[in-house]
Amino acid sequence: MATFVLIHGGGGSAWDWHLLVPELISRGHDVVVPELPIEDSSAGFAEFCQTVLDAIGDRSDLVVVGHSYGAFTAPLIADKRPVRLLVLLTPMVPKPGERPGDWWANTGYHGTEGLSEEQQFYNGVPADIVAEAAAHNRDQVSTEGNDPWPLDAWPDVPTTVLIAREDQFFPADFQRRVAADRLGTAPDETDGGHSVALSHPKQLADRLTAYLLP
């Protein structure tokens, strides 16, 4: 049994994973879903990291999954605790010393002009789930956006980038280029949009658990 540590993205919450959690549990695994202190104007990377470590407690055999902006936090956990696998899901892949606020220009991100927020983040998500989402979004006022990413190098942990083919926020071609530039890897791909844990939870659970097979 592995412990999946699911780290939400910017402005998100543990709710973002609520359809994936039972899928992973039904496959025999433990799941930890921390709420990062993004609404705390004094919180930064250190507080994000400690929140996740506190949620993990003494659990072991960790698979850390960082979604979107959560990819800035996920490697910090792999630097602090033994981690079996690091999965970056439709991610913002950081590099040492980079300020998250600079990531957009540094990666050459051109935005998604003409698309609504729903089209960018929730394409493919059932309408009833989209209707619930606004109640779970949070204002991100934490300080880490202006702080250099604290690692000097990528942690020595097996790392997989998993992108969604229909992602309209971070298009697949953009994600392939960033993964190659920053990690020297070609990402794995799955069906769905940016919020793939809400649109394809069963398929995502199958993919994540398949990574554990010999």
Side-chain angles (χ1 to χ4, degrees):
M1 178 186 75
T3 296
F4 284 88
V5 182
L6 307 179
I7 301 176
H8 64 76
S13 69
W15 179 87
D16 299 349
W17 303 107
H18 78 283
L19 299 179
L20 178 63
V21 169
E23 295 293 339
L24 293 172
I25 291 174
S26 71
R27 289 160 174 78
H29 300 287
D30 192 10
V31 185
V32 174
V33 192
E35 293 261 4
L36 299 182
I38 64 173
E39 295 174 298
D40 182 351
S41 60
S42 67
F45 282 126
E47 289 74 22
F48 282 20
C49 187
Q50 192 60 52
T51 295
V52 177
L53 294 174
D54 289 346
I56 292 170
D58 61 358
R59 293 175 176 88
S60 59
D61 200 12
L62 306 178
V63 177
V64 181
V65 182
H67 175 236
S68 195
Y69 188 45
F72 269 86
T73 299
L76 305 182
I77 307 308
D79 188 58
K80 298 287 187 182
R81 291 283 301 272
V83 167
R84 178 174 178 177
L85 177 65
L86 184 59
V87 180
L88 309 181
L89 178 64
T90 64
M92 296 174 66
V93 180
K95 65 179 180 180
E98 182 174 54
R99 301 174 194 275
D102 295 333
W103 182 91
W104 311 92
N106 290 347
T107 57
Y109 181 73
H110 295 302
T112 50
E113 186 177 351
L115 295 180
S116 68
E117 182 173 313
E118 180 175 329
Q119 290 171 323
Q120 292 179 66
F121 296 106
Y122 299 114
N123 60 305
V125 177
D128 59 328
I129 302 298
V130 175
E132 293 179 34
H136 299 277
N137 292 335
R138 299 187 293 156
D139 290 334
Q140 183 138 358
V141 298
S142 46
T143 66
E144 83 298 327
N146 293 316
D147 295 337
W149 194 60
L151 297 188
D152 294 328
W154 199 262
D156 186 18
V157 172
T159 300
T160 294
V161 177
L162 179 59
I163 68 174
R165 298 184 186 95
E166 292 81 45
D167 193 336
Q168 296 189 86
F169 185 56
F170 292 151
D173 285 346
F174 168 77
Q175 295 245 284
R176 293 183 192 108
R177 177 174 59 77
V178 173
D181 289 348
R182 299 196 160 203
L183 296 175
T185 188
D188 290 344
E189 302 186 15
T190 189
D191 293 334
H194 193 67
S195 299
V196 63
L198 294 174
S199 64
H200 292 73
K202 291 183 179 180
Q203 185 174 343
L204 180 56
D206 286 341
R207 177 61 68 90
L208 292 174
T209 54
Y211 287 139
L212 304 179
L213 298 175

